[in-house]
């Protein structure tokens, strides 16, 4: 033939995200979920014999196939012995719906609820009847950096004569989360009649006070001065740590102060508090001008592919002032929304300078990316034999009986590894091995979906609303904390990849297990806001930071965290592939959009380029990637290895090796810096699996010389294979030939976004 056939997936998206059309025929709506466990999956050999029909009814036709399962599928219910009780912290109106498990305010709902969270630009720490706020300084070394919490101000309120409200009683009630949204959370301090509205990116803290309450503001610093304007609605507090705080009130109020506290008489209304950033009188003028308009909450709406819109519920009068982090500024589409960027009004942050943006809504546009089954660049036909030789060997070694792990993470990786072999076989025109791969995938995936995998399995937790595992339901350490909602997108992403490929090569199987597949996807990627949903909205993805968190329901002093960005990308990429297999353009678009934003966030905060000024000089000089990124910290070490293991640090940001990896590492100059930085760590024994990922990135720079290194490897990561590495190296085409350094040439979403 002499010519290579390029297979390209072309999917046309014609409906916006909020107007999803279900594939015909539509299933009947499910009845309300009963409290008893759901019926078993429809994998039984035959349905029970039908009862005789009434005489007036015609006899039912004989069944020709097992009954189709109904949506939504729910895995068997389980009562976890390790999950915390959410009821002390969430209002009764919220407890009837699934609850967030990886949110930006998660610490406020765990243990005593008194660990700080970073609500840009402030660290905020509740106590039973007060809230402490810090405009943090930063501590940095070459190994880590973090923001330091100091209780710069503590705000409390009390009805006169109510000692419990002042916190003097041991029975003082905790705060209650009365509402939350994509971009904000509201805390109620019932005894003190104080409501704190926290909206991410607001330069002001907003307090709503009712019932003629006395307000107190204290500090661990010394108060140098307190001054008020003539209308007694703006009050300036200067502290001895060189901070100046501005207090705005919706009606006149008189404050008195001592060395470390400010008190008022009875007050009802709105109090807004802001730390004056660097910028002198200009910054103060900006804060004065926009102090009368505040957001109660904020929603992030996926309107079109690669497009995200922020909409705030606003109160007061005038325009809304919010703060944008560096990735916001890069993606902000000024022609789509009437916003004004105040480049000289900024707050320092561990995430980079937060810049003022004036406008009631924002539109963020990400660059479109390619979500394809096969390589973006293609493989030359003369390379087929090299890959096929390895493919035969890898497929022959597939043996479900040889799997010794019961871990949902490790098992999922083995499934995804085998699924990669099927797609590689398609791409190199070697379909002979696909039946064996199909058989392996069926035998490994089905037991998890139909509940017959005795060693472990997926179950449903109704307390928080989500999938946990059998092992994780009784032990917090099993399945890497999956039973505490840790790493859900990692584990389930691997399963979705295998399901997507199997549904592609065996559509009948895909139709049979579609309800279970969509339940796994919805656990971490539900976009709905319905109270009757089985899962919370976007369990892992942070719609303000534009990347995922993996910490689950564990209290951490530095907030949520995430280690592997590439596994997060894999989760949304796999969901998009599953949408492609099922003809679900809504899922394709949603998964592609979240994958694109996860990639850009990884490139912004995890990839550390030489000479960057986002982080301190010492940290930037010693690190090319962040190990674990926390809401309030950057760490060079990993959960499973120290900072010196640069091979692991590179590998955990690469695996699994997929077509989308090319987009994640599209900055060739950074790839060279990263490979050069990692190479000195390869002089040790027993790291063959990690070497494979280093060689994969080196193959971007020089694919010819890396082939021998790949062939000489004696082992591979459990989610990788020789076939996959050879596929990757042989698909490294010339940049000039393809013109797709950002994946754009084959991005079939391009004309629908810009």
């Amino acid at each position: 033939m002499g010519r290579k056939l390029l297979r390209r997936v072309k999917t046309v998206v014609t409906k916006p995200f909020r107007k999803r059309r279900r594939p015909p025929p539509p299933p009947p709506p499910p009845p309300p979920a009963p409290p008893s466990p759901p019926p078993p999956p429809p994998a039984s050999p035959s349905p029970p014999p039908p009862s005789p029909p009434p005489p007036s009814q015609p006899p039912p036709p004989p069944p020709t196939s097992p009954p189709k399962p109904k949506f939504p599928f729910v895995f068997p219910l389980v009562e976890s012995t390790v999950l915390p009780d959410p009821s002390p912290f969430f209002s009764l109106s919220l407890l009837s719906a699934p609850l967030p498990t990886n949110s930006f305010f998660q610490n406020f709902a765990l243990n005593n609820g008194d660990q700080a969270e970073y609500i840009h630009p402030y660290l905020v720490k509740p106590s039973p009847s007060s809230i402490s706020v810090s405009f943090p300084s930063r501590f940095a070394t070459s190994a880590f950096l973090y923001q330091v919490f100091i209780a710069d101000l503590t705000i409390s309120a009390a009805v006169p004569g109510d000692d419990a409200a002042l916190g003097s009683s041991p029975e003082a009630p905790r705060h209650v989360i009365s509402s939350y949204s994509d971009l904000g959370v509201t805390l109620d301090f019932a005894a003190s009649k104080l409501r704190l509205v926290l909206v991410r990116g607001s330069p002001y803290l907003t307090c709503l006070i009712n019932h003629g309450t006395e307000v107190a503001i204290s500090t661990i610093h010394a108060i140098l001065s307190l001054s008020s304007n003539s209308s007694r609605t703006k009050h300036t507090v200067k502290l001895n740590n060189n901070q100046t705080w501005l207090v705005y009130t919706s009606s006149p109020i008189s404050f008195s102060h001592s060395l470390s506290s400010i008190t008022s008489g009875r007050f009802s209304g709105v109090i807004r508090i802001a730390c004056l950033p660097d910028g002198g009188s200009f910054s103060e003028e900006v804060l004065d001008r926009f102090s009368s308009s505040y957001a109660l909450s904020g929603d992030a709406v996926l309107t079109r592919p690669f497009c995200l819109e922020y909409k705030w519920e606003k109160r007061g009068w005038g325009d809304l002032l919010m703060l944008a982090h560096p990735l916001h500024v890069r993606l902000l589409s000024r022609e789509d929304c009437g916003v004004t960027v105040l480049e000289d009004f900024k707050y320092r942050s561990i995430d980079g300078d937060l810049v003022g943006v004036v406008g009631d809504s924002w539109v963020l546009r990400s660059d479109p990316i390619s979500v394809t089954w096969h390589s973006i660049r293609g493989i030359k036909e003369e390379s087929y034999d090299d890959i096929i030789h390895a493919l035969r060997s890898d497929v022959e070694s597939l043996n479900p009986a040889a799997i010794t792990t019961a871990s949902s993470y490790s098992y999922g990786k083995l499934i995804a590894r085998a699924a990669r072999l099927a797609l590689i076989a398609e791409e190199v025109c070697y379909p002979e091995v696909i039946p064996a791969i199909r058989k392996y995938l069926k035998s490994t995936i089905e037991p998890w979906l139909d509940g017959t995998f005795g060693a472990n399995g997926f179950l449903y937790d109704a307390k928080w609303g989500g999938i946990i595992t059998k092992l994780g339901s009784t032990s917090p350490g099993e399945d890497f904390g999956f039973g505490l909602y840790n790493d859900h997108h990692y584990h389930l992403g691997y399963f979705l990849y295998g399901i997507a490929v199997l549904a592609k090569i065996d559509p009948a199987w895909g139709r049979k297990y579609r309800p279970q597949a969509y339940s796994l996807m919805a656990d971490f990627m539900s976009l709905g806001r319905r109270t009757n949903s089985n899962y919370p909205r976007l369990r892992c993805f942070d719609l303000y930071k534009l990347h995922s968190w993996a910490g689950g329901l564990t209290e951490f002093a530095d907030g949520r965290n995430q280690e592997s960005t590439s596994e997060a990308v894999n989760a949304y990429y796999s969901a998009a592939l599953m949408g492609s297999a099922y003809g679900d353009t809504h899922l394709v678009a949603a998964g592609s959009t979240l994958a694109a934003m996860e990639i850009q966030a990884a490139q912004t905060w995890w990839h550390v380029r030489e000479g960057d000024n986002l982080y301190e000089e010492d940290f930037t000089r010693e690190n090319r990637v962040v190990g674990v990124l926390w809401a309030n910290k950057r760490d060079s070490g990993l959960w499973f290895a120290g900072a010196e293991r640069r091979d692991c640090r590179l590998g955990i940001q690469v695996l699994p090796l997929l077509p989308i990896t090319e987009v994640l590492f599209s900055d060739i100059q950074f790839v060279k810096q990263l490979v050069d930085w990692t190479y000195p760590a390869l002089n040790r024994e027993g790291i063959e699996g990690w070497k494979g990922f280093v060689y994969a990135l080196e193959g971007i720079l020089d694919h010819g010389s890396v082939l021998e290194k790949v062939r000489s490897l004696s082992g591979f990561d459990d989610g990788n294979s020789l076939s996959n590495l050879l596929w990757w190296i042989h698909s490294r085409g010339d940049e000039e030939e393809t013109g797709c350094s950002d994946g754009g040439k084959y991005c079939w979403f391009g004309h629908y976004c810009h």
Side-chain angles (χ1 to χ4, degrees), residues 437-495:
I437 301 170
R438 181 194 299 119
K439 180 180 179 181
Y440 176 89
L441 291 175
K442 285 184 176 182
S443 63
T444 51
I445 295 174
E446 286 180 8
W448 287 84
L449 301 186
D450 60 26
T452 59
F453 183 53
N456 204 350
F458 293 128
L459 302 169
Y460 182 77
D461 155 54
K463 185 183 294 185
W464 290 85
I467 295 171
I468 59 176
T469 56
K470 177 181 175 181
L471 294 177
S473 67
T474 58
S475 174
E478 291 288 347
D479 292 330
F480 298 96
F482 192 89
L484 288 173
Y485 291 101
N486 181 55
D487 291 355
H488 267 219
H489 54 326
Y490 293 171
H491 297 223
L492 298 179
Y494 284 116
F495 276 88

Side-chain angles (χ1 to χ4, degrees), residues 156-162 192-193 208-216 232 235 249-256 262-271:
S156 59
V159 177
D162 188 348
S192 61
K193 313 303 181 186
L208 309 181
I209 300 173
N210 296 314
H211 305 291
T213 304
E214 294 178 351
V215 179
R232 291 182 291 125
H235 314 268
T249 58
S250 59
S251 59
I253 187 173
S254 295
F255 283 115
S256 59
I262 300 169
T263 57
S264 79
R266 293 192 175 196
F267 177 81
S268 296
V270 180
I271 295 180

Side-chain angles (χ1 to χ4, degrees), residues 491-501 517 520-521 524 571 574-575 578:
H491 297 223
L492 298 179
Y494 284 116
F495 276 88
L496 289 194
Y497 189 85
I499 290 169
V501 172
L520 294 181
M521 177 275 298
F524 71 90
S574 298
M578 194 174 86

Side-chain angles (χ1 to χ4, degrees), residues 605-623:
W605 289 298
W606 274 263
H607 297 181
V608 184
R609 293 160 183 81
E610 294 177 5
D612 274 4
N613 58 8
L614 180 66
Y615 301 134
E616 276 74 2
E617 183 178 350
D618 286 350
F619 187 86
T620 300
R621 183 180 61 252
E622 293 298 323
N623 299 280

